[in-house]
Amino acid sequence: EHSVEIVLPFLQQRLGKFELVPILVGQLTNGTGQYSEKRTEAVAAQIRRVLDDETLLVVSTDFTHFGNDFSYRPFDDDIFNKIDKLDKVGLDRLASNDYEGFEAFIKKTKVPICGLNALRVLEKLLPANAYGKVLAHDTSGRFYNDENRSVSYASMNFYLSSTPRPS
């Protein structure tokens, strides 16, 4: 797990002294090995117990893993643009605080995301009036000009709206 190693220096630089409670989210499956929304809700409930107005919640994961190395190559042409479009759909579902839409995106695309379950917990933790804004997005494939292997990265902030998202 590299997320804490990657994020910690940024937090230290920006926040100075602070207390850190790292949480690693692993498999959230039921007895048959299938994803369990109930377990996701249970993890979110435990985390929610320790959150307050002074808590900064940071979820770190990379996003789409594209290429044969990841057993995920749903297209063979216009790679960078199609990865961008794929990522946009998933990131928009997250930003919209749309748990069901994000699950439908995962089910339809079967996109491999290392921290998928951490994102699911985040979606369960967000209040109904939360919405996200993508601050930056890029892919390693574009950076290295490699259409055979790519991992997507994005940064997103969440904010509270004065009105809840309609159900």
Side-chain angles (χ1 to χ4, degrees):
E1 171 53 34
H2 61 81
S3 296
V4 172
E5 294 173 7
I6 300 299
V7 174
L8 189 57
F10 294 104
L11 295 174
Q12 290 170 325
Q13 175 66 31
R14 188 73 175 139
L15 301 177
K17 185 177 179 183
F18 63 94
E19 293 180 26
L20 174 72
V21 179
I23 301 170
L24 180 65
V25 179
Q27 297 301 312
L28 297 171
T29 55
N30 59 24
T32 64
Q34 298 297 312
Y35 167 68
S36 171
E37 184 176 353
K38 184 177 178 180
R39 289 196 180 198
T40 302
E41 290 169 349
V43 170
Q46 292 302 311
I47 294 171
R48 193 176 295 110
R49 291 177 44 200
V50 298
L51 297 178
D52 62 28
D53 290 342
E54 294 186 19
T55 303
L56 173 64
L57 179 64
V58 177
V59 176
S60 179
T61 179
D62 31 31
F63 210 64
T64 299
H65 285 63
F66 172 86
N68 295 340
D69 291 354
F70 307 112
S71 300
Y72 188 73
R73 192 175 182 98
F75 36 80
D76 289 316
D77 65 333
D78 199 19
I79 303 295
F80 300 141
N81 288 327
K82 287 183 178 177
I83 290 173
D84 286 347
K85 288 178 185 177
L86 179 70
D87 287 348
K88 183 176 182 343
V89 173
L91 293 169
D92 284 351
R93 294 292 50 82
L94 288 170
S96 298
N97 193 7
D98 181 3
Y99 176 85
E100 290 81 15
F102 185 65
E103 284 302 307
F105 164 76
I106 296 300
K107 184 176 182 178
K108 178 180 178 183
T109 64
K110 298 183 181 14
V111 60
I113 300 172
C114 287
L116 174 59
N117 287 332
L119 294 173
R120 287 169 160 158
V121 170
L122 171 66
E123 287 281 298
K124 292 296 184 178
L125 283 169
L126 291 171
N129 62 332
Y131 66 95
K133 180 178 177 187
V134 176
L135 305 175
H137 169 266
D138 209 345
T139 65
S140 62
R142 180 176 285 113
F143 183 82
Y144 291 110
N145 196 29
D146 183 356
E147 292 187 340
N148 293 310
R149 183 176 202 277
S150 184
V151 178
S152 300
Y153 302 92
S155 60
M156 181 183 292
N157 277 356
F158 283 88
Y159 306 90
L160 296 179
S161 171
S162 58
T163 58
R165 178 176 63 87
S167 298

